[in-house]
Amino acid sequence: MTSIRRFSSRHRRLDQAFLNATLKDARSYKRIAGYFRSSIFELVGEEIAAIPKVQIVCNSELDAADVTVSKHVRETALKERWNEAPSEVEALLHRDRYRRLHDLLTSGHVEIRVVPKDRIFIHGKAGVIESAMGSKTCFLGSVNETKSAFAHNYEILWEDPSAEGVAWVEDEFDSLWNEAYPLPDAIVEEIKRVAERVEIRFEETKLQELPAAALAESPIYRGGEQLQPWQRSFVTMFLQHRETYGKVRLLLADEVGVGKTLSLAASAMISALLDDGPVLILCPSTLTLQWQIELADKLGIPSAVWLSAKKVWIDPKGHIIKTRGPEDIARCPFRIAIVSTGLIFHDSDERRYLLERKYGTVVLDEAHKARRRGGLGQKKEEPNNLLDFMLRIGTRTKNLLLGTATPIQTEVRELWDLLRILNAGADFVLGRELFGRWTEWGKALPIVKGDEIPADEQDAWEWLRNPLPPGSEDGLFAALRLQLGLADQTFFTDRGFGSLGFLEQQAVGQALAPGYLQEHNPIVRHTVLRRRQTLEDAGLLERVGVDVYPDPYAPSTAYVGIGFSELGLLTNYPFDLAYRAAEAFTTALQKRTKAAGFMKTLLLQRICSSFASGRSTAEKMLRRETFEDEEQTKPVEEVLSTLTFEEATHLRTIVDELSRPEARDPKVAAVRYFLTEHRTEGKTWLEHGCIVFSQYYDTAYSLGAELAKSLPGEAVGVYAGTGKSGLFRGDDFASVEREDIKSAVKKRDIRLVVATDAACEGLNLQTLGTLINVDLPWNPSRLEQRLGRIKRFGQARRTVDMLNLVYHETQDEKVYQVLSRRMKDRYDIFGGLPDTIEDDWIESVEKLERMMDEYIHLRRKARDVFEMRYQETIDPDQDRWELCSRVLARRDVTDRLSAPW
């Protein structure tokens, strides 16, 4: 019987006494190691380069649920762990080790697998070495996986060459190996990137490599994720248009839920880094903080949000930057400013100050709100204040980006209004208006749709010459430019058809071919749209179904103890009185102000959110306080400063009724029931993990507090705007950062989160499998954004659950009844809905039904307009910025974007 050999580093270095000597000329090597990062690194210190077969299994500290969900989640989670070490330090201190390690991992004879954290190998190190002659020996002991452990630490090790010992270790190894997953290629690629990493300065960076150099080490990439292929293609297109035209004019009309914000934000960031000038981002007030969060959390760049109520800037950490007054809106403390479109809708001082300066890039989110006035009277058909502002600012900016999932809300010509914005200060979009045909939507639409073609060559020339497309778009345009001697950045010619030579006239005839102008026109040239279904069909987006609750056709016993009347929750007498008082308040208001419609929307949406929100809103209005999360603060201030006795009485009724002990909110009971009693796939919704969304912080906070009290021991996260996030446990509440909540959810330490829409963007919670909308925004795109937090890559469930809560016999229920009839496709429940439901659509159910149907008809009618050029599958292997080794220092990027206007 072969005896066990014992080694102690007290007598001799173990790498010399055992490991390297035993590995020399070995045929194979199996190793149970420790933490995957250090285990993999220390391979370079062992004599394994010549061994034909090396297998290492190590602990990844990943949750078992993560690594079993999908390859994408495994790779993302492992790369995030790997990137915990700063690459700038690693590249300088350990470049040679990275190079040798990359050589080993790509040699073809080293295979590494990782196991989830329910198998933790802190001390259970062991291995089997097979010699060139075929004999085997095994070892185990306290030796860590580091080279220093073998060479310098005090460690002890047993070697056992017996058949029994070898078989025992091999059995342990094989069991773990079969449960493990291969080391992702993404980590091997990152090892190579760090081995080759060099920091470059801005002046050394070529234009085409700037996105990769600036983004390769941004938070989204360090977190194991990346910009999606269609987002990267938009940034690339931004740079191409900038080079082709000297300035950029693009309308991004991607469907809701495919990440427009990040596409626009990355493009704006690149523009600022190129010193184009200040960046102004305009969006609804409810989205300003979402934009700031996305810029900070994903791209790692600072920005400032203008708080219109206080006339101050706020930085990404929520700190207020004092100003002298409204004129300082034109002096942002960072390169990127985020301003509410509410200021633009009202003829405010800030609007005037913004129009006095010039910009590098202006981004307008929810651009469909820039359109003509409706209704009757002298101003009918005139541009609304936002459209007027954008037409003016277009001449004052180098680059202009418009974002909307709804370029056509009620009429097709609204698309042309957006294109007119793009054409302002850049007549290469629709051409010079005095001479152009493309500016007349009624004539242009049949050409764009392919329903008509030009009558003859002379007619075709009128469509082509203004604007004359760039030569890079098609051989015809390149040939015409060459023959006419037109410079690359000239996009108009006043040459009539008769002045063209025979060859030129003949060439123009190509535009008579069916489909030619359908493919080559200003609409597809400057509008980008990718549909979710197209991306799903291409395998670029996960196809996850949604089951919507409550089911109006379910039997009355389906939800035990919860009083649904079809889609709405039955309320109680105090709420009914409070709701009537809210309606009476707006009726009284109509007698004296045009702002009554806006105030009605504000009050009814908040009282329909929760009893707590309704009471808090009425209390604030009685105290004459404004609402920071509302776009239109000016009319609120005006109404509240002149409250009549009758109006104040109605508000006090709301407070009194919703403060009664018997005013118990049925939404709280419904949420608790679905979390703890209702089961899908054999689990309660809490066991699946759940995120509960509300539009308002009052609702989110009060609901979080109620749930924490009724779920003993359960941690409840409140994920909200700057400085408002925290954790409930029982009666205790602690303020915490949003990132801490996201991290705890990812690790499955928290399985219940209550969130506001202000924090919706950039929140990835695929570890949660259910969603509850405790209130209903009159904005289907917001619902889609909420659903997108869990309906994403890495979601373990093939079908997630969504509960929508509204009170019976309220305005919310009327809206939801119309919406729900159009949410029938389990996989594309928002595909046929408008981005925003206008307030005036909700005058009656009949009008809402009519406007919805009209919108859907127009959307289908115009679909071909958008999908011609960008329907094709986007190559996921193109523009792989995560591989970039020539990078800009993060500090340089941040410093450059921290410069004031």
Side-chain angles (χ1 to χ4, degrees):
M1 181 176 177
T2 309
S3 62
I4 292 176
R5 298 172 64 201
R6 301 172 181 85
F7 296 85
S8 167
S9 58
R10 191 162 56 88
H11 300 294
R12 191 175 174 191
R13 283 175 49 172
L14 297 186
D15 57 336
Q16 297 173 357
F18 170 73
L19 187 64
N20 289 348
T22 313
L23 288 174
K24 189 175 182 181
D25 299 325
R27 181 186 294 175
S28 70
Y29 178 29
K30 295 179 178 179
R31 172 82 167 273
I32 300 172
Y35 181 55
F36 86 106
R37 195 178 199 283
S38 50
S39 300
I40 294 167
F41 258 120
E42 292 309 324
L43 291 176
V44 299
E46 299 178 7
E47 300 293 330
I48 66 168
I51 302 175
K53 187 175 183 180
V54 178
Q55 295 171 288
I56 311 291
V57 61
C58 48
N59 174 46
S60 65
E61 292 189 11
L62 296 176
D63 194 284
D66 281 334
V67 297
T68 57
V69 166
S70 73
K71 184 173 181 285
H72 171 81
V73 173
R74 279 200 304 278
E75 292 198 359
T76 299
L78 282 169
K79 191 172 179 185
E80 181 182 24
R81 289 281 187 169
W82 184 272
N83 286 339
E84 286 174 352
S87 56
E88 54 269 36
V89 175
E90 295 289 290
L92 284 175
L93 298 183
H94 308 299
R95 190 181 306 280
D96 288 342
R97 291 175 66 197
Y98 273 86
R99 286 172 177 162
R100 293 201 303 273
L101 179 57
H102 183 260
D103 289 342
L104 280 176
L105 295 177
T106 55
S107 65
H109 64 253
V110 176
E111 187 179 359
I112 297 174
R113 292 189 182 182
V114 295
V115 294
K117 70 180 181 182
D118 57 351
R119 301 278 190 169
I120 299 177
F121 316 117
I122 297 176
H123 295 294
K125 313 298 190 302
V128 175
I129 301 170
E130 182 181 10
S131 72
M133 304 301 294
S135 62
K136 294 182 179 180
T137 188
C138 70
F139 67 89
L140 55 102
S142 71
V143 178
N144 284 312
E145 64 277 5
T146 61
K147 182 181 180 183
S148 61
F150 276 101
H152 306 297
N153 294 358
Y154 171 69
E155 304 284 357
I156 53 178
L157 178 146
W158 289 259
E159 180 193 7
D160 183 359
S162 71
E164 294 86 357
V166 168
W168 181 70
V169 174
E170 281 194 320
D171 182 62
E172 292 294 313
F173 176 88
D174 291 343
S175 175
L176 296 170
W177 185 259
N178 292 332
E179 292 182 29
Y181 297 88
L183 186 72
D185 291 339
I187 288 180
V188 180
E189 292 168 347
E190 177 65 8
I191 290 168
K192 181 176 187 288
R193 191 192 72 80
V194 175
E196 298 173 351
R197 182 189 187 278
V198 290
E199 282 188 10
I200 56 176
R201 304 185 66 81
F202 281 98
E203 50 270 24
E204 302 168 3
T205 312
K206 297 175 184 175
L207 181 66
Q208 62 270 24
E209 69 177 354
L210 179 60
L215 288 164
E217 294 181 353
S218 62
I220 185 172
Y221 280 86
R222 298 300 292 168
E225 298 185 31
Q226 58 184 312
L227 267 71
Q228 296 299 326
W230 58 93
Q231 294 171 323
R232 301 197 299 268
S233 76
F234 183 81
V235 178
T236 301
M237 191 184 309
F238 174 88
L239 288 175
Q240 289 170 345
H241 278 235
R242 186 178 178 275
E243 199 165 4
T244 299
Y245 300 104
K247 54 179 68 174
V248 182
R249 294 293 189 273
L250 286 171
L251 168 61
L252 181 58
D254 284 355
E255 280 192 344
V256 169
V258 302
K260 286 189 301 297
T261 303
L262 205 49
S263 299
L264 296 167
S267 301
M269 167 189 171
I270 296 301
S271 163
L273 292 176
L274 286 167
D275 276 338
D276 284 346
V279 174
L280 173 64
I281 296 171
L282 298 166
C283 62
S285 64
T286 51
L287 301 181
T288 54
L289 290 178
Q290 289 186 30
W291 265 93
Q292 190 177 47
I293 291 166
E294 190 91 337
L295 289 168
D297 291 2
K298 293 299 180 73
L299 303 182
I301 57 175
S303 62
V305 171
W306 179 260
L307 293 183
S308 56
K310 298 179 180 177
K311 312 298 184 210
V312 296
W313 290 104
I314 183 168
D315 74 9
K317 298 193 176 195
H319 300 144
I320 287 175
I321 301 169
K322 290 185 178 179
T323 57
R324 291 166 294 183
E327 67 272 15
D328 274 357
I329 195 172
R331 289 188 283 269
C332 179
F334 295 101
R335 214 71 198 134
I336 300 176
I338 305 169
V339 174
S340 163
T341 45
L343 284 175
I344 313 303
F345 276 114
H346 297 97
D347 200 10
S348 59
D349 291 335
E350 289 105 312
R351 183 184 195 271
R352 177 166 50 85
Y353 292 127
L354 286 173
L355 281 172
E356 288 176 355
R357 67 163 307 128
K358 294 193 174 182
Y359 304 91
T361 298
V362 173
V363 178
L364 175 62
D365 196 8
E366 296 207 2
H368 55 272
K369 293 185 176 180
R371 56 178 186 263
R372 299 165 193 257
R373 301 177 192 271
L376 305 170
Q378 289 184 333
K379 291 189 175 182
K380 182 176 183 277
E381 301 303 315
E382 286 185 11
N384 67 12
N385 283 347
L386 182 57
L387 177 55
D388 175 73
F389 178 88
M390 293 306 298
L391 290 169
R392 291 169 186 260
I393 211 165
T395 62
R396 309 189 67 80
T397 186
K398 180 181 177 77
N399 310 309
L400 187 53
L401 302 176
L402 307 181
T404 175
T406 309
I408 300 169
Q409 185 77 346
T410 55
E411 296 186 53
V412 173
R413 71 175 178 184
E414 290 177 359
L415 171 61
W416 264 258
D417 286 336
L418 297 181
L419 291 167
R420 276 182 62 212
I421 293 173
L422 296 183
N423 204 53
D427 55 13
F428 55 79
V429 181
L430 290 177
R432 298 186 181 180
E433 294 205 14
L434 289 176
F435 307 96
R437 292 191 170 189
W438 294 108
T439 56
E440 299 182 56
W441 75 271
K443 292 180 180 178
L445 185 60
I447 297 288
V448 171
K449 293 179 63 183
D451 294 342
E452 295 179 8
I453 61 172
D456 52 31
E457 286 85 350
Q458 183 171 349
D459 189 30
W461 177 241
E462 293 304 311
W463 289 105
L464 290 179
R465 72 183 183 90
N466 182 30
L468 186 66
S472 57
E473 183 173 314
D474 189 70
L476 168 61
F477 310 135
L480 286 171
R481 286 176 169 278
L482 182 65
Q483 291 158 6
L484 296 173
L486 289 174
D488 288 344
Q489 291 198 341
T490 298
F491 302 99
F492 170 79
T493 176
D494 57 4
R495 296 268 303 265
F497 183 75
S499 71
L500 300 182
F502 174 73
L503 290 177
E504 289 96 321
Q505 289 185 350
Q506 214 174 25
V508 168
Q510 293 181 44
L512 299 176
Y516 189 87
L517 285 181
Q518 191 178 10
E519 185 176 347
H520 299 287
N521 65 71
I523 310 300
V524 298
R525 193 173 298 130
H526 295 282
T527 302
V528 181
L529 181 146
R530 275 70 60 100
R531 294 178 58 226
R532 184 180 189 94
Q533 185 178 338
T534 305
L535 298 174
E536 288 174 348
D537 292 344
L540 297 172
L541 267 181
E542 195 81 9
R543 193 167 170 81
V544 178
V546 185
D547 282 339
V548 182
Y549 298 81
D551 180 353
Y553 305 107
S556 57
T557 56
Y559 313 111
V560 180
I562 305 300
F564 282 111
S565 177
E566 292 189 351
L567 295 175
L569 280 169
L570 295 171
T571 53
N572 44 43
Y573 191 56
F575 177 83
D576 295 343
L577 291 177
Y579 189 79
R580 283 180 214 158
E583 291 182 314
F585 170 82
T586 57
T587 300
L589 207 58
Q590 284 172 343
K591 298 173 185 175
R592 67 179 184 88
T593 176
K594 293 180 180 178
F598 169 74
M599 292 299 293
K600 178 180 180 180
T601 299
L602 182 151
L603 182 54
L604 291 187
Q605 280 207 306
R606 288 168 182 265
I607 202 171
C608 285
S609 173
S610 68
F611 287 20
S613 175
R615 182 177 64 249
S616 173
T617 299
E619 288 171 342
K620 286 179 182 176
M621 292 171 75
L622 284 167
R623 293 195 300 266
R624 276 64 170 175
E625 293 180 16
T626 57
F627 298 86
E628 285 186 6
D629 55 353
E630 287 293 340
E631 270 188 72
Q632 305 183 45
T633 56
K634 200 169 181 179
V636 176
E637 291 173 356
E638 291 172 356
V639 167
L640 297 183
S641 64
T642 55
L643 276 181
T644 67
F645 176 78
E646 180 188 3
E647 293 158 3
T649 300
H650 292 313
L651 292 176
R652 278 191 287 272
T653 299
I654 295 172
V655 175
D656 292 343
E657 293 302 328
L658 294 181
S659 298
R660 297 185 186 281
E662 60 269 28
R664 288 184 292 275
D665 194 336
K667 287 188 179 181
V668 176
V671 171
R672 193 184 301 121
Y673 165 80
F674 274 88
L675 286 175
T676 61
E677 296 184 46
H678 196 80
R679 293 179 178 271
T680 53
E681 298 176 9
K683 291 182 178 179
T684 64
W685 286 26
L686 185 58
E687 289 170 332
H688 283 302
C690 184
I691 181 166
V692 184
F693 266 114
S694 171
Q695 297 178 84
Y696 307 112
Y697 181 71
D698 291 335
T699 298
Y701 184 88
S702 64
L703 182 60
E706 289 287 340
L707 292 174
K709 290 175 187 175
S710 62
L711 300 170
E714 190 74 36
V716 181
V718 176
Y719 191 92
T722 306
K724 291 183 175 180
S725 297
L727 272 178
F728 278 107
R729 199 178 187 105
D731 292 325
D732 296 330
F733 179 80
S735 295
V736 300
E737 296 298 322
R738 285 190 308 268
E739 284 302 309
D740 295 329
I741 296 175
K742 285 165 68 173
S743 176
V745 172
K746 196 168 187 177
K747 295 175 184 175
R748 291 181 167 79
D749 293 333
I750 295 176
R751 55 181 182 170
L752 178 56
V753 177
V754 186
T756 64
D757 288 315
C760 184
E761 282 290 340
L763 182 62
N764 302 333
L765 298 175
Q766 60 265 40
T767 57
L768 308 178
T770 64
L771 179 146
I772 298 175
N773 292 307
V774 79
D775 54 31
L776 184 78
W778 299 345
N779 185 329
S781 70
R782 191 75 55 77
L783 286 172
E784 174 68 16
Q785 285 173 343
R786 291 177 176 184
L787 187 57
R789 301 311 100 209
I790 63 171
K791 187 184 173 185
R792 60 195 311 112
F793 266 125
Q795 174 54 247
R797 305 185 68 198
R798 298 282 59 82
T799 300
V800 296
D801 299 310
M802 179 172 73
L803 170 66
N804 298 318
L805 294 177
V806 294
Y807 297 128
H808 184 47
E809 293 186 339
T810 61
Q811 200 146 286
D812 263 17
E813 186 183 41
K814 294 174 186 175
V815 174
Y816 186 44
Q817 282 172 341
V818 177
L819 284 178
S820 65
R821 284 195 281 275
R822 291 160 174 82
M823 292 165 57
K824 293 178 180 176
D825 186 337
R826 168 182 273 189
Y827 293 98
D828 191 19
I829 62 174
F830 299 107
L833 296 176
D835 192 41
T836 304
I837 296 172
E838 301 299 316
D839 292 344
D840 60 1
W841 291 12
I842 311 173
E843 290 175 7
S844 66
V845 172
E846 292 74 21
K847 182 174 181 180
L848 183 55
E849 293 270 14
R850 187 174 71 253
M851 297 304 290
M852 287 279 222
D853 289 341
E854 186 175 339
Y855 165 80
I856 293 168
H857 171 70
L858 288 166
R859 184 164 179 159
R860 287 173 183 155
K861 182 178 177 183
R863 179 161 280 177
D864 288 345
V865 170
F866 304 109
E867 296 187 355
M868 287 296 299
R869 184 169 295 194
Y870 308 108
Q871 179 89 0
E872 72 272 8
T873 300
I874 299 164
D875 184 1
D877 294 324
Q878 200 170 19
D879 295 325
R880 293 195 61 200
W881 298 334
E882 71 273 17
L883 305 181
C884 179
S885 56
R886 285 171 49 84
V887 297
L888 294 164
R890 291 307 301 168
R891 182 182 296 172
D892 288 350
V893 171
T894 304
D895 287 350
R896 203 173 184 93
L897 298 177
S898 297
W901 283 8

